[in-house]
Amino acid sequence: MPRLVELLESHRHHEVADVLGRIGPAAAPALPRLRKMLTADHAWTRVHAAAALWDIGGDAEAPVIVETLLAAWAENDSTSNHVLACLSRMGPAARPALPRIREELTLLRRSGRFRSITNDEELQAACRSITPGF
């Protein structure tokens, strides 16, 4: 684990954050560094860190994760698919994001990394997978 935490300082920090997230709660030693990454200048760095923070820290981290994800999405709409994937995993903890998710469904030209029909359909499905329980 210490080596992975060190690698969060490298150019591969997105990949490392994803790996730590897959490890889950056992990667708790990385939480301080991931929290620090939430203040990075680059939206993608914040999204990967927030997703890993959720997968490792869970509900205790939810408010800052939702705030970070929504800010990154607003700054760079290409992050939307990753943001929505994390919000979907968060379940009820993602409730504060519902207005933005519902807004996305009303847009004629939705966000996303690739402006294609397939991507748009995936984005809509991700939005709808989050909203039914609310």
Side-chain angles (χ1 to χ4, degrees), residues 15-91:
E15 295 169 39
V16 175
D18 294 346
V19 168
L20 290 164
R22 286 193 296 275
I23 292 170
L31 289 174
R33 177 63 184 120
L34 290 167
R35 287 185 196 109
K36 183 178 174 189
M37 289 172 66
L38 296 180
T39 63
D41 290 335
H42 194 255
W44 279 104
T45 299
R46 295 191 310 270
V47 168
H48 285 273
L53 199 58
W54 172 256
D55 295 333
I56 298 165
D59 286 328
E61 307 287 344
V64 71
I65 292 168
V66 171
E67 179 182 329
T68 300
L69 291 173
L70 291 176
W73 190 3
E75 179 184 326
N76 181 348
D77 71 356
S78 294
T79 63
S80 62
N81 295 74
H82 281 76
V83 167
L84 288 164
C86 183
L87 292 172
S88 181
R89 290 194 310 276
M90 291 178 73

Side-chain angles (χ1 to χ4, degrees), residues 111-126:
S111 61
R113 251 182 120 181
F114 307 105
R115 308 265 187 219
S116 69
I117 293 170
T118 302
N119 184 69
D120 187 60
E121 289 172 346
E122 289 173 5
L123 189 91
Q124 288 181 63

